[in-house]
Amino acid sequence: MEDLPIIQKTYDLIKWYVPILTRLPKAHKFTLGDRMINKLYDLLEGLITARYAKQKITQLKSLNTQLDILRYQTRLLLDLQLIPIYRYEYAGKSINDIGTDLGGWIKQQNKF
């Protein structure tokens, strides 16, 4: 069975983002870094679970909230000068792409 594009995009974001987050300074690595890593893994797990769920809409809306939290956490990394602008832009684009796919999935589920 092929992965949904949103699942693959989330997987790719995790592969790219986790090594960056694990190299944060100690003062942020075990707080913001760990929270973001856990949020990314939760997002991937939630998307996979939603794929097989009968009633997807509630779970998808919850994942949308998690994605928004990741957006703010990513912006916080930039504002605290923990990542350079080019990494912020890449992460933001990736998160927005996932958000677009998630929004489309929610819209499709609202039709049922």
Side-chain angles (χ1 to χ4, degrees):
M1 183 181 282
E2 254 182 66
D3 282 339
L4 295 173
I6 189 172
I7 292 173
Q8 186 61 51
K9 288 176 186 177
T10 303
Y11 181 89
D12 292 343
L13 179 62
I14 291 170
K15 278 187 0 185
W16 177 82
Y17 221 169
V18 168
I20 293 166
L21 295 170
T22 58
R23 288 191 306 264
L24 290 174
K26 191 187 272 189
H28 298 285
K29 179 180 180 177
F30 299 110
T31 52
L32 182 58
D34 282 350
R35 284 177 180 230
M36 291 181 73
I37 290 169
N38 288 332
K39 190 72 64 189
L40 286 163
Y41 288 142
D42 290 346
L43 179 64
L44 180 63
E45 290 172 17
L47 290 169
I48 293 167
T49 302
R51 177 182 189 183
Y52 298 103
K54 294 228 184 284
Q55 299 295 321
K56 299 175 184 343
I57 195 69
T58 303
Q59 187 162 8
L60 293 175
K61 287 181 179 180
S62 173
L63 293 172
N64 203 33
T65 301
Q66 287 186 33
L67 197 60
D68 205 32
I69 292 168
L70 270 171
R71 276 190 189 95
Y72 278 94
Q73 290 171 327
T74 298
R75 192 170 97 196
L76 194 54
L77 287 176
L78 179 70
D79 291 344
L80 294 173
Q81 300 177 345
L82 297 170
I83 59 171
I85 187 79
Y86 72 92
R87 285 203 169 137
Y88 171 76
E89 289 170 349
Y90 181 85
K93 182 189 177 316
S94 297
I95 291 168
N96 285 340
D97 286 348
I98 293 166
T100 299
D101 288 0
L102 185 55
W105 197 1
I106 290 170
K107 193 178 218 180
Q108 180 232 0
Q109 289 301 307
N110 278 329
K111 292 180 182 177
F112 294 116

